[in-house]
Amino acid sequence: MLTFVRDINLVSGGFTGACSNTSYIYTTDNTPEYRQFNWNGQQINTTVSTTGTPSGRALIGNASAVISYTSARVSYIAIGSNTKTDVTTNALATYRGITLGQQLAADKTNNTAMATSSTNSKITLINTNFTLTTLQPTAMTGAQASCIIHKPNTSNYIVGTNSGKVFEVDTSGNTIKTINLPNTPNISAPTIVVTGLSYYNDMLAVLTSHGLLYIYKYSASTVVGEYGVGSVRGSSSPDTSCLSDCSSGYFLLNSANINNDSTIALIECYSASGNTSFNPLFCEAAAGSFFASQVQSDIGMVWALNGANAGAVQLRTFSITGN
């Protein structure tokens, strides 16, 4: 269960995204600037100006934050010195901007990150030495990577696409596994955009732009749960719902309208063996939305970005209580 703790607001403008660790929340905003806050909501660094529209942000190791953009650029920010280095060589624009999460993911153990791309068949590997590598997995030919997560306890990444497929790839661009999402009578797989992914202990949650949430037994590539979590939407409008990364089978579903009513909720989900429970926690009017979140389970905290006042996005924090 989540208990609301506080809102973090800017004097002007709104947040466009964040990432976190046990001590700090690292944010970008539409000023555009990069900032660092502690979990008490206090800014503890001098703001750093960014270039363009940030689409993703992640931590590589303990020393660097990286930022992806809707233009061909990646920024490295040294956390200790608060300095920024922009890299454009081999950079690609991400698939989407601030309204679709999981455009960038990081492997904090092996110090890599990987970003989506608006270019067919390509994804971007981000290294710690200010170098970018364009990967072209053969299985992704003709498709675009729409979202991406790191697969825990490996050096691989799981990539959702705009062609109704999910891939696991390694950092050399080899395809390790492919999952083809099921067709429905009204939706064929090539038109399905994957908008969110969440993995834990051989369970993979896959969210689509058509308001469907699939739970897979990953090793067998079999669907063990299927849920309608929103209105049916066309593939041309995928910026609707997304997932947080998973912790112990627990993840968050953002901006879903489970009952097709006039509210959009931040929803707790717990999935085990395909039995998924939903607990709507925090609702806004339909004009608003939650479009990103992260479960920081090691300190029992969650942050979520709420765009209820469009253009003045709040960063809201919650504590995890009970089961």
Side-chain angles (χ1 to χ4, degrees):
M1 186 71 180
L2 295 188
T3 300
F4 173 72
V5 176
R6 65 174 52 85
D7 283 337
I8 301 174
N9 295 296
L10 299 174
V11 174
S12 62
F15 294 102
T16 58
C19 61
S20 63
N21 57 21
T22 57
S23 300
Y24 302 109
I25 305 172
Y26 306 86
T27 70
T28 56
D29 57 56
N30 57 10
T31 306
E33 291 176 329
Y34 158 87
R35 303 167 192 263
Q36 185 178 342
F37 295 85
N38 61 26
W39 282 92
N40 291 324
Q42 300 164 320
Q43 184 174 335
I44 55 91
N45 76 322
T46 303
T47 57
V48 179
S49 296
T50 58
T51 303
T53 303
S55 58
R57 61 291 305 149
L59 300 174
I60 298 184
N62 296 317
S64 296
V66 291
I67 301 171
S68 60
Y69 296 89
T70 54
S71 57
R73 178 185 307 272
V74 169
S75 294
Y76 290 78
I77 296 181
I79 293 174
S81 62
N82 211 39
T83 57
K84 177 174 68 79
T85 302
D86 287 339
V87 178
T88 56
T89 301
N90 293 330
L92 297 169
T94 56
Y95 179 78
R96 280 289 188 271
I98 64 171
T99 53
L100 188 64
Q102 297 184 333
Q103 298 299 287
L104 175 68
D107 175 359
K108 297 178 183 178
T109 301
N110 296 293
N111 296 334
T112 64
M114 195 172 286
T116 67
S117 169
S118 59
T119 303
N120 281 353
S121 315
K122 296 181 179 181
I123 48 181
T124 303
L125 177 68
I126 302 171
N127 304 291
T128 55
N129 59 352
F130 304 105
T131 61
L132 311 177
T133 304
T134 300
L135 304 179
Q136 300 186 66
T138 54
M140 276 187 58
T141 299
Q144 294 176 3
S146 55
C147 59
I148 190 165
I149 62 171
H150 170 244
K151 185 182 180 186
N153 304 314
T154 74
S155 59
N156 297 343
Y157 291 83
I158 300 175
V159 182
T161 69
N162 65 346
S163 63
K165 295 182 179 182
V166 175
F167 302 101
E168 180 180 339
V169 299
D170 65 18
T171 53
S172 297
N174 299 308
T175 303
I176 308 302
K177 185 179 183 66
T178 301
I179 292 178
N180 296 296
L181 299 186
N183 293 331
T184 71
N186 297 315
I187 308 170
S188 60
T191 69
I192 297 171
V193 178
V194 178
T195 62
L197 297 164
S198 200
Y199 179 91
Y200 174 77
N201 195 27
D202 204 33
M203 179 277 294
L204 178 69
V206 181
L207 186 66
T208 76
S209 60
H210 297 280
L212 294 175
L213 176 67
Y214 298 100
I215 307 297
Y216 278 87
K217 182 175 176 58
Y218 188 69
S219 58
S221 300
T222 55
V223 177
V224 294
E226 180 179 338
Y227 306 90
V229 294
S231 304
V232 174
R233 302 161 173 107
S235 60
S236 61
S237 302
D239 304 351
T240 52
S241 301
C242 59
L243 302 179
S244 74
D245 291 348
C246 197
S247 176
S248 300
Y250 173 91
F251 60 96
L252 295 174
L253 172 63
N254 308 309
S255 300
N257 183 351
I258 282 188
N259 298 315
N260 286 323
D261 58 19
S262 60
T263 59
I264 299 179
L266 179 66
I267 296 169
E268 287 182 306
C269 309
Y270 184 82
S271 187
S273 302
N275 298 316
T276 302
S277 59
F278 299 96
N279 180 29
L281 288 170
F282 205 85
C283 297
E284 292 289 350
S289 65
F290 291 93
F291 64 86
S293 63
Q294 183 171 326
V295 178
Q296 198 69 51
S297 59
D298 39 9
I299 58 171
M301 293 292 290
V302 163
W303 61 259
L305 293 178
N306 173 32
N309 302 310
V313 178
Q314 299 169 312
L315 194 155
R316 298 191 145 164
T317 61
F318 304 82
S319 62
I320 304 172
T321 56
N323 295 321

